[in-house]
Amino acid sequence: MLEVSRPKSLKKIKNGALMSIAHQDLSGWFRRPVKRPDAQVRLICFPHAGGAASSFRPWQRLLPAGIEPVSVQYPGREDRFADPFVGSMDDVVHAVVDGLVPLLDRPLALFGHSMGSAIAYEVALELRRRSLPEPVRLLASGRPSPHHAAVGDIHLQKDAAVTAELMRYGSTPVEVLSDPELRATVLRCVRNDYRLIETYKPRQAVDPLDCPISVLVGTEDPECGEVEAKTWGSVTAGSLTITAFDGGHFFLVPQRTRLVETICRELGVVDTTTTSAWPSTP
């Protein structure tokens, strides 16, 4: 079972007192689809390249009351469309950890899909570097460990090549890619995120993470199968579990019921009472 006692050593950090989340707004980097002040654990979710906080909503609403989901909203998309893109992994990680400080009044777990799993890993390292509470578990989806992931150069390619990459994954509706204006908007975001992840150099940690890692993979994912999932064992001194789901790289929404069951099991939250389902579209 998950240890749910709240840290008592966080009376004062970050230039002042750590206030309860009930009395402080979330950072502009975070979106919370449902507020659960009595949750045992907060699940911080990091989207894939080109993705946004809304991509997690179809399954986040199925989580039980013991888990409060909070999604990272990268700049340059949805309600942050006018915000300038970030240029590097360090920029993202530092901004996210700054914003996480008021959320440390209860245990955190980190969930990242594809590019988001690498960001989640770096966030866990940065929390440790700042002597802040580390996550109770890292859940990595759809990508090998940062030190074993293949590095491409899609961000340097012409629009046709980037569009072909999106079609290969099946992550963007054909209708969107067929509309010149919508396609330009999508490619603007995707190209930036690919640049971020393709120029990212994983930090060489002196010691592996202490927290256990859960890896989630699609059985038909061309980028990360069970063999690649095992590479996450090299970055943790804790346990490693691997769960396979039917589907490709974007199995999260089609497999949302089983996904939630897996998250609850891995976090040790046994309460299966859920709220009403979110609409099925991301």
Side-chain angles (χ1 to χ4, degrees):
M1 292 294 291
L2 175 68
E3 174 56 54
V4 296
S5 60
R6 300 184 181 182
K8 297 180 180 179
S9 60
L10 295 177
K11 298 298 183 181
K12 293 184 179 180
I13 54 179
K14 193 69 177 178
N15 300 322
L18 173 67
M19 295 186 292
S20 167
I21 190 63
H23 302 293
Q24 180 159 335
D25 292 336
L26 289 173
S27 157
W29 279 78
F30 300 111
R31 302 293 177 268
R32 179 170 46 194
V34 57
K35 189 172 183 179
R36 292 173 175 167
D38 297 324
Q40 299 166 263
V41 60
R42 286 197 178 95
L43 182 65
I44 311 300
C45 302
F46 299 81
H48 59 279
S54 65
S55 65
F56 293 129
R57 288 179 188 165
W59 58 265
Q60 284 177 333
R61 280 281 180 166
L62 300 179
L63 291 168
I67 302 174
E68 182 181 71
V70 176
S71 297
V72 175
Q73 185 74 299
Y74 309 133
R77 66 214 70 199
E78 292 190 336
D79 58 341
R80 299 193 67 189
F81 184 83
D83 293 348
F85 290 119
V86 290
S88 71
M89 178 68 78
D90 283 346
D91 290 341
V92 174
V93 170
H94 293 158
V96 167
V97 174
D98 287 346
L100 279 178
V101 170
L103 298 177
L104 295 174
D105 62 332
R106 70 192 66 227
L108 294 182
L110 306 180
F111 179 101
H113 181 62
S114 198
M115 178 186 79
S117 67
I119 298 175
Y121 168 74
E122 292 292 338
V123 165
L125 291 180
E126 181 66 12
L127 287 169
R128 182 171 68 184
R129 190 188 70 80
R130 298 191 194 186
S131 299
L132 295 172
E134 297 180 37
V136 295
R137 184 173 289 270
L138 171 63
L139 297 102
S141 170
R143 185 177 173 85
S145 75
H147 304 86
H148 296 83
V151 178
D153 62 354
I154 294 296
H155 73 284
L156 298 175
Q157 304 299 315
K158 294 182 179 180
D159 286 355
V162 181
T163 300
E165 180 77 354
L166 296 178
M167 294 181 68
R168 182 171 76 94
Y169 280 115
S171 58
T172 307
V174 175
E175 294 80 7
V176 171
L177 295 177
S178 298
D179 182 285
E181 185 174 352
L182 290 177
R183 182 174 64 249
T185 299
V186 170
L187 294 184
R188 163 183 174 269
C189 183
V190 170
R191 189 180 296 279
N192 176 82
D193 289 358
Y194 267 72
R195 181 175 65 250
L196 186 152
I197 195 63
E198 289 178 343
T199 59
Y200 155 60
K201 304 297 184 185
R203 192 182 310 181
Q204 295 295 332
V206 176
D207 298 308
L209 294 172
D210 292 323
C211 68
I213 295 180
S214 304
V215 188
L216 316 179
V217 298
T219 55
E220 300 174 25
D221 188 344
E223 300 299 320
C224 185
E226 293 193 48
V227 172
E228 292 80 7
K230 292 179 181 178
T231 62
W232 283 95
S234 66
V235 299
T236 181
S239 62
L240 178 73
T241 61
I242 300 172
T243 305
F245 297 79
D246 291 339
H249 189 67
F250 290 98
F251 63 87
L252 299 180
V253 173
Q255 295 290 331
R256 55 188 174 272
T257 299
R258 185 167 172 239
L259 172 65
V260 167
E261 293 172 351
T262 300
I263 291 173
C264 289
R265 182 190 70 228
E266 298 298 274
L267 295 182
V269 177
V270 298
D271 179 7
T272 58
T273 303
T274 61
T275 57
S276 57
W278 196 270
S280 60
T281 53

